[in-house]
Amino acid sequence: MDEKTPLRKRSAARHTARPPAASPAAGSDVRASDADRDRVAEVLREALAEGRLDADEHAERIEAVYRARTMGELRPLVRDLPAGHPEAPLPGRSASAAHGADGDNVIAVFGGASRRGRRRVGARTNAFALFGGVEIDLTEALFERRELVVNATAVFGGIEIKVPENVTLRGSGSGIMGGYDVEARESADPDAPVVVVRGAAVFGGVEAKAERGKRLRDLRR
């Protein structure tokens, strides 16, 4: 730009060359993924087990987690907890779980919900029952991944999970004034799918077991 260019035009040119300022609230509008919701639910489960949240608070927040659509809706749910950072991967989570995309949410609030029959299942299923019941029947499922994680949280409700008797079933969780029962079993076939159940039961019940007589025909599908 030469010396003859008017001062007003030079000032306008410098102004238009500056990059636009980023909006500080833009991150709140980012759509939440299933992995984001799983991380927040895990933080809430740990807070319940440690006594930081009571049963009513936990139930209210868990319901909000699985209805949240953006990161801005998730952050307030764990802001007052030590591990309340939805963006940070939690200890013990695999890279595939932290970045996975294929999941299914089964929610029953004052009612019932189920998943059964011949259908494809991915890497994760989130089950939440509040004054209701959830049934997840995997005896005819087509496993697309070697491992399926079922996050099961029951508050004044019940969750029942059925698996074929020739798959591996593992679990971890806690029952707080409720029952949390996973009948663990290891398949004799090293290529068999692995179903991992984890979560909590508060004044409710979570039960996972193999269904006798139900077997996957092709473990290497």
Side-chain angles (χ1 to χ4, degrees):
M1 189 174 295
D2 57 37
E3 296 297 330
K4 295 182 180 180
T5 303
L7 179 61
R8 183 179 300 175
K9 290 185 178 180
R10 279 184 283 170
S11 176
R14 284 196 301 269
H15 177 74
T16 57
R18 294 171 185 167
S23 172
S28 298
D29 298 327
V30 174
R31 301 285 291 194
S33 68
D34 284 338
D36 295 325
R37 282 182 280 270
D38 288 351
R39 286 194 291 273
V40 174
E42 183 70 10
V43 170
L44 295 176
R45 187 184 72 81
E46 292 296 331
L48 175 66
E50 294 168 357
R52 300 181 190 276
L53 296 176
D54 62 29
D56 291 338
E57 291 172 321
H58 178 262
E60 182 180 348
R61 295 192 191 194
I62 280 289
E63 182 180 4
V65 164
Y66 290 119
R67 297 187 185 280
R69 295 185 177 182
T70 66
M71 296 301 295
E73 293 176 275
L74 286 177
R75 292 192 186 102
L77 301 175
V78 291
R79 186 174 292 156
D80 57 347
L81 300 174
H85 304 285
E87 302 88 345
L90 293 175
R93 299 295 299 277
S94 65
S96 60
H99 298 92
D102 53 340
D104 182 25
N105 296 327
V106 191
I107 301 173
V109 179
F110 290 98
S114 66
R115 295 289 188 274
R116 62 168 70 96
R118 192 166 181 80
R119 60 193 180 85
R120 296 187 179 277
V121 293
R124 177 182 55 259
T125 295
N126 302 313
F128 174 62
L130 173 64
F131 292 102
V134 170
E135 178 190 8
I136 299 175
D137 188 340
L138 300 170
T139 56
E140 298 181 21
L142 303 176
F143 290 83
E144 294 187 328
R145 301 289 187 92
R146 171 109 197 293
E147 180 178 282
L148 167 63
V149 176
V150 180
N151 297 308
T153 302
V155 182
F156 292 99
I159 298 175
E160 182 181 17
I161 302 162
K162 301 175 183 178
V163 304
E165 62 179 4
N166 58 338
V167 306
T168 292
L169 176 61
R170 301 170 184 163
S172 64
S174 55
I176 302 172
M177 302 299 289
Y180 191 94
D181 184 19
V182 177
E183 297 182 4
R185 61 190 295 123
E186 293 292 323
S187 174
D189 192 321
D191 293 321
V194 178
V195 178
V196 180
V197 180
R198 62 189 183 196
V202 184
F203 294 101
V206 173
E207 180 183 26
K209 63 181 181 180
E211 190 77 355
R212 179 172 295 183
K214 297 290 187 176
R215 301 174 63 86
L216 289 184
R217 299 176 183 174
D218 186 1
L219 292 176
R220 297 169 181 78
R221 180 179 298 279

